[in-house]
Amino acid sequence: MDFSPSPSVVVTETPGALKHLVKQQTSTPLSLFSQVNLASRSPAIQASEVIPRGQGFGTIHGNVINNDQVDLIIPGNLELQWTVESQLYQPEGVTSGDQGYYGTHVFPVGGTDIDFSMIALDKVSGARRWVVRPGQIGQGGTPMVLNDMQNAGKVIYSGGLRGVFAVTEKGEVRWCTNTGFGIDTPATSDFDTHIKKRLWGINYHQPTDSVIAVYGDGTVLAFARETGELRAQYRVEGDPSVDNTGLNLPEPILEGAEKAIRKQFVPEGANLPEDARIFDTIIAVALGGDMVVSNYYATDPDSDRIWVAATLPDAADGIEDGVARFGALHALTLTREGDQFSFETECAVPFEGGSASTPAVLPGGDRIYTSDKDGNALAFDQRCELVWSVNVGDQILGSLAVSPYDNYVYASTGSGVFQIVDHGNSAELGWSANLDGVFYGGAALLPVAQLVSSALAEAGLSVPVQLQASNIEISTVAENALVLIAGLGFQMDPQRSEVFAPLVMSVTMIDRMTGEVINSTPAREESIAVIGIDNDGSVVIGNSPLRRGAVVGVTEILGNGLLGEALADLLPPLTGGVTKYAPSSRFDLAARDAVCYAARKVLAWEVGRDSAGYTWLDSPEASSYQALTGQAVEMLGLARAVGEISSDTYAGVSYLISDARESALTGDFRAAHSVLREACQQLD
């Protein structure tokens, strides 16, 4: 453990001449979206003392079931608070504990400051608290955060091909276990192994109290959560997938991207193999070519299932040529007999071309959601049988976001974000997010388009530069909004929607009722990670430029000429690390949203509790209610501190929240709803 401070600087601004194109509002409306029925419920999660509830992201996709959802509101007036550790390429984001944010990165170059496998950041300042040295070959996946059963607080789990470890938020090592793979070379001396056999992250298996590690070659390990004892090892039967990660772009563009990426993410004097291609490595991480497993996975706490999207053996496609063209959703089980633990494959669902999606599980395990390469959102039952399929018109990025409080699933693609209404045995498309409301358009964009077109032509790429708004990230579901990253840019490869080049980006909130924009704020950098949420509703993102690497790379090709300098003035330079977006004003509106949604939770329980079969304290509504009222109290304090509400209003609303809590504990939910609605109206 290294507790030394970071040599990198903290950046608190968003550079680039185009950030003024992002539409921002000072006052945001209260969404009318509301929960109607009782939530889908996981009895195991509700009863667990290990799995955090009602908090921010504890795994890469929020929680162990991967539904990219939080029981919190997102404040409507987010602004960039800081960007730190700019040399770290973070394709999987960070998780939130009580004291810090936790992440890893792709290029732990030996002999440099970034030679580490995990980092802890202070939540307020972004300062480095500690790192785990040295880096590991095959390190990857966002660290997992679980409750600490020995002391109050959290334990963080991460690792690589050499070992898996658990540390407390104070930086105390609980355990570190060798994987037994026998791979101990420096990470950046063997890029092929480092990327294609990389760890896709740690997850938690509730039935056996084990932490699970899944690797790119299909290897699966289980460790005892408390001691780190290696309990079982397995390999998903599959062969490396077809490598279709290459981009159809002119060689000068690719060379420029390589130069731009190296300048930002490879420290000066770093010793790398002569044939190392950093940009190609990043594409491989993003698109998962030549791997058996190319994404994260889900565990179902209410069964012993572990859901993994992986390939099938080469022979399954009828052409034995060393690569797999078929993939599958695999349902693994981990069972215990006495002191012995073992994995098995319970069932599998094949896909032609495989799946680029992380499986997501509905609480309770009745539905497992994923997607195929043809743009179909798919729902399966626990027997691996298809329940429904809905085509969204484009390949789905990452994972489907699933809300347990209604029947909605959200699909993010390179062309937009789509609401899917799950009717049980069938589903249909709802709204598509209106991204035209994110950026200003019109005649002001013509000079920008002309400049970009001329620069690309000079670099050897002739494509029509028609500036448009597009989605560039997996979305996250909050109580009041869907959060996404939008980009204003153009298609570098018109045949592939994901090869979209953003010139300016925004963190955008979408109304879950209508698909319309609530508000946006300029984003510092592109990300191929996820949109992480902290306990207070702040948005915390791991920066990982890919598409922008190609665009900024054009400035490397053009150099200091007039055209190159003009393009460089438009585009902010690449950055890595972590950026935090938090409210700096209108805390009163954030408090309003939290209180109003807490009132809606109590109302949903009051209406549906007779059919529940469990108590209020055992309900998902209670977990969400507690998170929302806690968030409201925090935002009220900030609103009073900056003069947005009076001391009398603060005292009155705080009293109503306390009164509602007492009413809920005594079972008078009608009274709890009434006083919370009054608090909501006072703040509206």
Side-chain angles (χ1 to χ4, degrees):
M1 304 298 297
D2 182 355
F3 294 86
S4 303
S6 172
S8 68
V9 299
V10 177
V11 178
T12 58
E13 296 182 352
T14 304
L18 298 179
K19 62 183 178 183
H20 67 278
L21 294 176
V22 178
K23 295 180 181 179
Q24 294 181 270
Q25 301 181 42
T26 56
S27 180
T28 55
L30 174 66
S31 172
L32 296 178
F33 182 86
S34 182
Q35 176 183 345
V36 176
N37 301 308
L38 291 183
S40 298
R41 177 175 178 268
S42 166
I45 290 179
Q46 291 301 128
S48 176
E49 296 181 350
V50 175
I51 301 173
R53 297 193 305 279
Q55 299 179 25
F57 269 40
T59 72
I60 182 173
H61 289 290
N63 47 47
V64 298
I65 58 177
N66 282 354
N67 58 2
D68 288 283
Q69 176 268 338
V70 290
D71 295 328
L72 301 160
I73 62 97
I74 306 299
N77 291 80
L78 296 174
E79 292 184 7
L80 187 148
Q81 186 168 352
W82 43 252
T83 299
V84 297
E85 305 287 350
S86 61
Q87 278 195 302
L88 305 185
Y89 194 88
Q90 293 203 300
E92 290 148 317
V94 296
T95 43
S96 300
D98 295 335
Q99 302 174 23
Y101 302 126
Y102 304 95
T104 182
H105 68 118
V106 174
F107 303 115
V109 183
T112 71
D113 173 68
I114 63 173
D115 182 17
F116 55 77
S117 61
M118 192 174 88
I119 187 170
L121 301 173
D122 181 82
K123 282 193 171 187
V124 176
S125 66
R128 183 186 296 183
R129 298 176 60 232
W130 46 259
V131 296
V132 179
R133 296 194 187 276
Q136 282 198 55
I137 186 168
Q139 69 184 46
T142 305
M144 177 181 65
V145 178
L146 295 177
N147 291 331
D148 186 351
M149 300 305 295
Q150 297 182 24
N151 303 289
K154 298 290 192 291
V155 177
I156 322 300
Y157 302 82
S158 190
L161 284 166
R162 191 167 63 239
V164 171
F165 55 84
V167 297
T168 69
E169 292 202 82
K170 294 180 179 179
E172 300 166 343
V173 178
R174 283 285 171 83
W175 52 261
C176 181
T177 302
N178 193 297
T179 61
F181 295 153
I183 302 174
D184 198 24
T185 55
T188 50
S189 67
D190 183 356
F191 270 21
D192 197 57
T193 298
H194 178 55
I195 298 302
K196 295 176 182 177
K197 294 185 178 182
R198 72 193 305 268
L199 174 66
W200 283 107
I202 306 294
N203 208 332
Y204 178 60
H205 189 256
Q206 167 92 356
T208 61
D209 196 23
S210 301
V211 293
I212 308 297
V214 174
Y215 293 84
D217 66 351
T219 300
V220 185
L221 303 179
F223 302 86
R225 177 186 58 82
E226 291 188 301
T227 66
E229 176 189 5
L230 181 59
R231 287 176 162 174
Q233 180 171 337
Y234 187 71
R235 189 178 184 281
V236 177
E237 289 297 325
D239 286 309
S241 59
V242 176
D243 189 355
N244 58 358
T245 59
L247 299 181
N248 184 27
L249 296 174
E251 188 60 30
I253 299 287
L254 297 176
E255 289 295 334
E258 177 73 12
K259 188 174 181 180
I261 292 289
R262 278 178 174 266
K263 180 184 291 186
Q264 182 60 39
F265 297 109
V266 179
E268 187 175 348
N271 184 21
L272 296 177
E274 291 184 3
D275 60 348
R277 297 281 297 180
I278 307 300
F279 188 57
D280 290 348
T281 299
I282 290 172
I283 294 172
V285 173
L287 301 181
D290 203 19
M291 300 181 191
V292 177
V293 177
S294 60
N295 220 320
Y296 193 57
Y297 54 101
T299 63
D300 178 10
D302 295 292
S303 70
D304 58 0
R305 296 294 180 89
I306 303 162
W307 294 94
V308 182
T311 61
L312 288 174
D314 173 29
D317 58 28
I319 305 172
E320 296 197 36
D321 55 1
V323 295
R325 291 172 175 80
F326 280 15
L329 175 64
H330 300 259
L332 310 183
T333 59
L334 175 62
T335 56
R336 176 177 184 171
E337 292 187 11
D339 294 332
Q340 300 300 310
F341 296 81
S342 61
F343 287 105
E344 290 184 4
T345 297
E346 188 76 12
C347 58
V349 184
F351 300 101
E352 184 175 356
S355 172
S357 176
T358 296
V361 179
L362 188 69
D366 291 336
R367 286 286 181 275
I368 300 87
Y369 301 97
T370 188
S371 64
D372 63 19
K373 69 178 182 63
D374 296 320
N376 293 304
L378 308 169
F380 296 92
D381 62 20
Q382 291 187 352
R383 300 182 300 277
C384 295
E385 294 181 358
L386 181 67
V387 178
W388 54 253
S389 171
V390 171
N391 191 276
V392 300
D394 203 354
Q395 183 165 349
I396 295 170
L397 306 174
S399 64
L400 294 162
V402 179
S403 173
Y405 294 108
D406 45 58
N407 299 313
Y408 298 122
V409 178
Y410 301 92
S412 301
T413 75
S415 55
V417 177
F418 303 89
Q419 180 196 62
I420 300 171
V421 185
D422 185 349
H423 295 300
N425 293 325
S426 64
E428 63 178 341
L429 284 175
W431 51 252
S432 60
N434 180 15
L435 301 183
D436 291 335
V438 178
F439 303 100
Y440 292 105
L445 298 183
L446 292 177
V448 176
Q450 291 170 354
L451 171 60
V452 173
S453 180
S454 298
L456 291 174
E458 184 74 15
L461 179 62
S462 295
V463 294
V465 178
Q466 297 177 339
L467 297 183
Q468 63 189 52
S470 185
N471 174 63
I472 58 174
E473 179 56 291
I474 303 168
S475 55
T476 293
V477 185
E479 290 289 342
N480 63 329
L482 200 69
V483 190
L484 54 83
I485 298 181
L488 179 67
F490 62 96
Q491 293 294 143
M492 292 192 79
D493 183 349
Q495 304 303 314
R496 297 176 65 176
S497 65
E498 72 272 19
V499 190
F500 175 82
L503 302 177
V504 61
M505 299 147 294
S506 72
V507 175
T508 293
M509 297 170 56
I510 298 293
D511 192 315
R512 291 179 62 194
M513 174 71 77
T514 63
E516 297 296 323
V517 174
I518 295 176
N519 204 3
S520 298
T521 192
R524 172 59 185 93
E525 186 55 275
E526 173 196 1
S527 177
I528 59 172
V530 297
I531 300 176
I533 308 296
D534 194 10
N535 300 347
D536 62 354
S538 298
V539 172
V540 190
I541 297 176
N543 297 318
S544 38
L546 174 59
R547 309 163 186 87
R548 274 202 352 109
V551 181
V552 174
V554 174
T555 66
E556 297 291 337
I557 300 170
L558 300 180
N560 295 326
L562 290 177
L563 202 54
E565 289 186 352
L567 184 61
D569 286 342
L570 285 182
L571 304 175
L574 299 181
T575 190
V578 178
T579 299
K580 180 175 182 176
Y581 303 87
S584 60
S585 63
R586 300 315 307 262
F587 301 106
D588 58 329
L589 296 183
R592 174 203 66 188
D593 287 2
V595 168
C596 295
Y597 272 89
R600 295 173 187 180
K601 292 296 172 186
V602 176
L603 178 61
W605 176 257
E606 169 67 12
V607 172
R609 61 175 172 161
D610 289 344
S611 62
Y614 46 86
T615 68
W616 162 252
L617 293 179
D618 293 325
S619 70
E621 285 73 20
S623 298
S624 181
Y625 168 83
Q626 183 174 356
L628 289 164
T629 52
Q631 191 179 15
V633 169
E634 181 176 355
M635 292 297 138
L636 281 171
L638 293 171
R640 181 181 64 171
V642 299
E644 292 174 348
I645 60 173
S646 66
S647 294
D648 288 344
T649 299
Y650 171 82
V653 174
S654 297
Y655 173 79
L656 291 172
I657 292 173
S658 178
D659 189 23
R661 185 178 293 115
E662 292 299 319
S663 295
L665 288 174
T666 59
D668 192 348
F669 300 102
R670 182 169 298 179
H673 174 254
S674 177
V675 295
L676 284 175
R677 186 175 60 180
E678 181 182 346
C680 173
Q681 291 170 346
Q682 286 191 25
L683 293 169
D684 196 6

